[in-house]
Amino acid sequence: MADRNSELSAYVLLTRRATMRVDMAKVKELAALPWADAVTALVEAPSDGQLAPTSGESDDIVGWWMGRMVLPEAGLIDRMAFFWHTVLTTHRYAAGYQQLIGPQLNLLRRNALGSFRTLLQEFCVDGALIMYLNANGSTAEHPNENLARELMELFTTGVGHYSEADVRAAARAMTGWQVEDGSYAVRFDPARASTEPVGFLGETKQWDVASIVDRLCDHPATAARIAAKLWYHLVGTELGVPAAADLGAWWQGQQLEIKPLVTRILNDPELRAEHYRRPRSGFEWYLAFQQVTAADLNELWIPRHLGQALYEPPNVAGWPVGERWLDADSVLRRTSLSLYLDIDKIPGGAAATVDEILDRCGLLVVGDATLDALSRAGEGTRLDDASLAHLRWSIALSSPEFQLT
Amino acid sequence: MTAGPRLTRRQMLGGLALGGGAGAASWAVGRRGGSPTATPETTPGPTGAPVAGGAPTPAAAPGLTAVDALPGLLTPAPVEQRILVVIELEGGNDGLSTVVPANSGRYYDLRPRMSVKADDVLPLDDEVGLHPELTGLWRRQKAVVEGVGPVDGSLSHFEMVARWETGDPTGRNSIRSGFLARLADALDTGQGTVGLSVAGFTPRFHNAKAPTLSIDSLDQLSVLTEDEWIYPVYRRKVAGITGGPMASRLAASWQQLLEIGGALQTSTALPNGVTKLDKADPMVADGGELGVGLATAAQLLEADIGLRIVHARLAGFDTHDGHEWKYPDLMGKVNAAVDGFLTRMHALGWGNRVLVATTSEFGRRVKQNGSGFDHGAASTMLLFGPVLPGRYGQAPSLADLDANGNLKVAVPFDVYLGTLAQTWLGVDAASVLPSAPEVLPIVAA
């Protein structure tokens, strides 16, 4: 691997991992600071105060979010909101009403760096989630287990820390919530809720959504699991069970506040030990591709074609993580898009040099194979300059480095 | 027209189904009693339709089981050569419009406006017939499976699609890999590309360990077949990709793609590599996205890159409204696409290797709403290829509906999926489906 700019390259890594875009102006701003100060600048950046639309079509709501992610001022908040969306999933077509997506997105962005406990409390009575996991209209007579089960299996402890009886008990305790027709407001109707004491995780009392979520947040497995997921997302390595337990225990000591956890992970030397440790997921690759090529952000078919459109997870467990994003399907789809790009949309695209191409792609650290491929592109053919530039852009976008973060 | 030939055909179809079902669970093979006296004037049209490659078959003797006793029927290829083509009719297919109970007064009572006229159906026996648009497929060797669906289903597309995809009949087993992915893994011999999806980036093959490919068009493969641009770059560079496990994984993916590309470029079936689809081909011109998908799949099957499973799709079956004009259009597309595809497979000499099987997340409501049908439960699946012709499963009663007014399920969908795995592909159903379902005897043992 050649490091083309050792002063900036670590800060490119930091920007790539901690935001949804690599903006060289922002990189240079951060690179003027010692690492810990750069991390603080990212973590303490004020919220943009913007709110997603809460009416209209969900296409527009998703489009609004993508538009925020690629703004120069976008930062850690949207990286974290994206992370939370991959953990606390909802499918926009299964959420019943499109209008419910905006409020949930605002919830994720508002709490992205707040308290995990508050985030989960609000999420579990969010209208879109209630619709998605069939908690809407779940009553004492007919409790629906879907939300209760996924809350434990996916959003908190994971399997192995509760019984089927706990699922049934939690389902009963979480009844009474519904989304009102017309206003789409979430209401709790005590008349439809179960008020009987139930035994949940070894304690029999009158439980409700708030106390169930609280109890699960107190569980050490929850902190360990969520912290390990965030570690993988930001660092790109698997933490391992003992290290996850340690990080989780430490995070519990921080009252599950998200800022200290993110700060600790971003400051860990392991984060910057190596470039290109985990695959860019389909959506991450799409946003990076979009920023390089200036492709129209409203082309929602592209992230769908790449297997990761926002608010369209394949199931409630969210999108796969890891090598799935590097299989032959993904490589072929990404390479095809790389080949058919419109280089006239890229400022100076048709006349770009290899260095200019690599800079715009954020590839300050690049392997010999890619450098060689770029320098020898078009060898033995008679390509005109624009075609040669086109081929080089395609090679950079389909290079191993660009598939990874 | 008289009732005679129809009865003959019914005996042939029903007799075969019964024969093939010897030893199976009683519900597994459903030849219902039903009235043998169809009103002749309601079911005209060609009768005793020939199965592929043969003349109309005479009445089968009761108890007949051996398929080779039936001249003209395709005999399935050895199990290791068989290919499964799954066609997803997305949105919830109205089984009562696919296989029409044309002899049921109740059907016409419940659907006064949006029924298929008895005069128009393509008769299968004296009770039911295929939708009138399925003319080409009606002439082919086929079977239908009635009453297929989830036992304790939901009316949510999302939920039911997820259950079919994962092969999880309850949706409670936390299965995160696709049924077809597990099937591909079971068929993987380490050679070639096992699975192909022409239905978008779907989870069907997600988490498969076996090599699978999903493409939206042949254009995508030009990356691999045109000897300029990126392909030669990677042909030179794959070995040079270094930098940790992720880079190795990428190199492995490129290696797989280069092998597919090499196979496409050298295939004797495709002397010029992958060609563009012929837009004048009726399959492409009239088959909608399904025709395009199956034409794409046919190209890759002809290139013989080792495919055993193909997944294709036709969307638009969610006919809450406009059923009357939407449905014939959908069936016309199915007919053009599948009939054209099978013609190509026969031309390849693979008529006995390929089974086409439909799926759909659920059926539709029996009673019409304004101009369509709401989400239902049981639906009817179609099989084309070297099957034992007949009606399988249990035609759901139009008199005994569930609490939502939907057809009750007689064949849990995991039984249907297990049948495709075990009976057709020789993969033990229990090894790919957590419910370890019983299977239907759709092909000669």
Side-chain angles (χ1 to χ4, degrees):
Chain A
M1 286 278 169
D3 193 337
R4 301 173 51 245
N5 186 332
S6 55
E7 285 180 12
L8 287 186
S9 57
Y11 287 86
V12 168
L13 182 152
L14 178 63
T15 315
R16 204 167 57 218
R17 304 269 178 88
T19 75
M20 294 303 285
R21 71 193 304 263
V22 176
D23 175 81
M24 286 314 276
K26 174 100 157 205
V27 170
K28 286 173 183 161
E29 214 174 276
L30 291 172
L33 302 170
W35 189 273
D37 293 353
V39 168
T40 303
L42 283 165
V43 173
E44 297 299 341
S47 156
D48 60 14
Q50 298 295 312
L51 291 174
T54 52
S55 61
E57 307 220 337
S58 62
D59 268 11
D60 298 332
I61 297 166
V62 166
W64 177 89
W65 194 13
M66 294 198 296
R68 295 306 305 174
M69 287 177 175
V70 299
L71 288 179
E73 65 267 29
L76 183 61
I77 283 178
D78 282 306
R79 164 58 68 183
M80 289 302 295
F82 174 69
F83 168 73
W84 292 123
H85 174 53
T86 66
V87 176
L88 307 175
T89 57
T90 294
H91 194 293
R92 62 189 175 120
Y93 300 133
Y97 307 109
Q98 305 196 47
Q99 295 87 339
L100 294 171
I101 297 302
Q104 187 189 86
L105 174 54
N106 288 329
L107 183 167
L108 293 180
R109 293 183 87 244
R110 184 172 66 245
N111 292 295
L113 285 164
S115 148
F116 176 73
R117 192 181 295 266
T118 308
L119 168 64
L120 194 61
Q121 288 285 8
E122 292 189 18
F123 185 69
C124 286
V125 292
D126 170 70
L129 180 78
I130 285 176
M131 294 294 294
Y132 177 46
L133 294 184
N134 317 115
N136 182 49
S138 177
T139 62
E141 287 75 44
H142 301 286
N144 190 303
E145 292 176 7
N146 204 5
L147 172 56
R149 182 182 305 276
E150 305 301 10
L151 169 62
M152 286 184 266
E153 182 180 336
L154 297 174
F155 306 156
T156 58
T157 64
V159 294
H161 300 284
Y162 54 88
S163 67
E164 281 300 308
D166 291 320
V167 173
R168 287 192 295 272
R172 290 194 68 80
M174 295 171 78
T175 52
W177 292 84
Q178 61 195 97
V179 176
E180 285 197 346
D181 286 344
S183 73
Y184 312 115
V186 178
R187 294 267 184 270
F188 176 69
D189 180 357
R192 295 159 65 94
S194 168
T195 52
E196 283 172 30
V198 289
F200 175 69
L201 296 182
E203 190 184 345
T204 300
K205 67 174 190 180
Q206 191 181 325
W207 294 88
D208 57 13
V209 170
S211 54
I212 294 269
V213 170
D214 257 338
R215 176 69 186 82
L216 289 167
C217 283
D218 290 340
H219 200 298
T222 298
R225 192 147 172 272
I226 300 298
K229 280 176 189 257
L230 183 61
W231 175 277
Y232 176 79
H233 193 81
L234 296 175
V235 181
T237 57
E238 301 283 351
L239 204 45
V241 175
D246 288 349
L247 186 61
W250 177 85
W251 190 32
Q252 280 199 303
Q254 304 293 316
Q255 284 73 51
L256 303 184
E257 287 293 327
I258 299 163
K259 271 186 186 179
L261 179 64
V262 175
T263 303
R264 177 172 166 159
I265 294 174
L266 292 179
N267 275 316
D268 197 300
E270 191 63 23
L271 177 98
R272 52 185 189 274
E274 222 178 289
H275 282 260
Y276 311 132
R277 269 188 158 165
R278 81 161 166 85
R280 274 182 165 144
S281 65
F283 183 76
E284 289 176 315
W285 188 89
Y286 165 66
L287 266 199
F289 168 83
Q290 189 275 335
Q291 287 157 57
V292 170
T293 61
D296 186 349
L297 205 52
N298 292 324
E299 302 273 12
L300 289 179
W301 69 268
I302 301 180
R304 199 172 289 138
H305 174 79
L306 293 169
Q308 195 179 35
L310 297 174
Y311 276 102
E312 298 175 36
N315 58 51
V316 63
W319 295 272
V321 294
E323 294 189 3
R324 168 69 184 93
W325 298 110
L326 304 179
D327 68 11
D329 282 2
S330 285
V331 168
L332 188 61
R333 282 162 190 262
R334 292 177 185 191
T335 304
S336 252
L337 284 167
S338 303
L339 199 56
Y340 294 113
L341 62 97
D342 178 2
I343 62 164
D344 292 337
K345 281 193 174 172
I346 307 174
T353 64
V354 168
D355 274 330
E356 286 165 351
I357 290 169
L358 288 170
D359 282 352
R360 189 170 167 96
C361 292
L363 298 175
L364 298 195
V365 173
V366 61
D368 294 341
T370 299
L371 282 175
D372 191 48
L374 285 165
S375 64
R376 288 172 58 190
E379 221 173 52
T381 61
R382 282 173 293 172
L383 297 177
D384 59 31
D385 288 353
S387 299
L388 181 60
H390 187 153
L391 176 55
R392 284 179 169 150
W393 283 109
S394 303
I395 290 171
L397 292 166
S398 64
S399 68
E401 295 84 355
F402 198 77
Q403 315 313 310
L404 305 170
T405 183
Chain B
M1 289 296 153
T2 71
R6 283 199 307 314
L7 193 60
T8 297
R9 177 150 181 82
R10 174 175 177 273
Q11 283 178 328
M12 184 194 84
L13 292 167
L16 264 176
L18 191 64
S26 59
W27 54 265
V29 179
R31 188 182 63 153
R32 295 151 307 141
S35 163
T37 53
T39 37
E41 64 278 12
T42 61
T43 50
T47 53
V51 292
T57 311
L64 181 67
T65 57
V67 72
D68 57 5
L70 286 167
L73 280 185
L74 291 164
T75 306
V79 72
E80 67 277 5
Q81 293 178 11
R82 295 184 196 168
I83 294 161
L84 173 65
V85 178
V86 175
I87 294 180
E88 183 183 359
L89 307 179
E90 187 185 277
N93 177 39
D94 181 42
L96 292 176
S97 298
T98 320
V99 175
V100 182
N103 197 30
S104 162
R106 186 174 286 272
Y107 165 72
Y108 293 99
D109 290 345
L110 289 165
R111 295 186 165 186
R113 279 195 295 113
M114 281 181 292
S115 45
V116 181
K117 288 189 183 68
D119 287 355
D120 295 340
V121 301
L122 305 168
L124 292 179
D125 58 21
D126 63 342
E127 294 174 347
V128 299
L130 288 185
H131 189 278
E133 290 290 334
L134 298 175
T135 47
L137 291 173
W138 180 62
R139 293 187 182 88
R140 292 194 178 273
Q141 191 166 330
K142 62 195 169 297
V144 302
V145 188
E146 295 166 283
V148 182
V151 169
D152 182 18
S154 110
L155 297 182
S156 150
H157 290 291
F158 188 71
E159 166 71 18
M160 290 312 305
V161 165
R163 288 197 209 177
W164 274 89
E165 275 177 3
T166 54
D168 180 353
T170 62
R172 288 276 168 247
N173 288 319
S174 302
I175 301 170
R176 307 299 184 201
S177 66
F179 162 71
L180 291 183
R182 299 193 295 279
L183 201 51
D185 288 349
L187 294 169
D188 186 19
T189 59
Q191 308 227 316
T193 301
V194 182
L196 170 72
S197 173
V198 286
F201 200 90
T202 65
R204 296 303 186 288
F205 290 117
H206 277 187
N207 297 323
K209 295 174 190 73
T212 63
L213 195 60
S214 76
I215 57 170
D216 291 342
S217 76
L218 289 170
D219 285 344
Q220 247 168 274
L221 292 177
S222 63
V223 167
L224 304 177
T225 55
E226 283 175 19
D227 236 342
E228 47 185 304
W229 300 110
I230 285 184
Y231 182 68
V233 172
Y234 281 95
R235 200 161 44 193
R236 279 203 309 271
K237 286 298 155 206
V238 162
I241 296 176
T242 55
M246 292 300 119
S248 306
R249 180 67 181 84
L250 275 166
S253 292
W254 265 109
Q255 194 58 48
Q256 190 194 328
L257 289 172
L258 294 181
E259 280 166 22
I260 295 170
L264 292 174
Q265 287 188 326
T266 58
S267 165
T268 50
L270 294 172
N272 301 312
V274 176
T275 54
K276 296 278 179 194
L277 295 184
D278 176 7
K279 292 203 166 59
D281 181 348
M283 195 180 165
V284 176
D286 305 328
E289 62 171 319
L290 180 61
V292 171
L294 288 180
T296 304
Q299 289 256 31
L300 293 175
L301 285 162
E302 285 156 3
D304 204 7
I305 58 172
L307 294 175
R308 302 292 307 281
I309 307 170
V310 173
H311 176 235
R313 168 171 65 179
L314 181 62
F317 285 84
D318 197 18
T319 52
H320 288 281
D321 58 15
H323 181 89
E324 210 165 358
W325 60 270
K326 285 177 183 169
Y327 201 80
D329 177 63
L330 291 164
M331 286 294 107
K333 285 174 175 162
V334 168
N335 187 65
V338 177
D339 198 46
F341 175 75
L342 288 172
T343 298
R344 281 177 74 165
M345 293 300 103
H346 278 275
L348 204 56
W350 287 14
N352 63 346
R353 292 181 60 181
V354 175
L355 176 70
V356 174
T358 64
T359 67
S360 193
E361 64 261 46
F362 42 58
R364 305 201 77 80
R365 199 67 43 87
V366 176
K367 280 186 80 168
Q368 63 195 49
N369 62 23
S371 68
F373 302 101
D374 291 322
H375 298 177
S379 188
T380 303
M381 307 300 155
L382 303 173
L383 299 167
F384 301 98
V387 287
L388 291 168
R391 293 169 67 190
Y392 295 85
Q394 183 75 52
S397 165
L398 292 172
D400 180 25
L401 304 176
D402 72 12
N404 297 314
N406 290 325
L407 298 173
K408 287 183 175 173
V409 170
V411 179
F413 75 82
D414 50 316
V415 167
Y416 179 68
L417 293 180
T419 298
L420 302 178
Q422 184 166 315
T423 318
W424 177 246
L425 291 173
V427 174
D428 182 14
S431 72
V432 286
L433 290 162
S435 53
E438 294 189 64
V439 298
L440 305 172
I442 56 164
V443 288

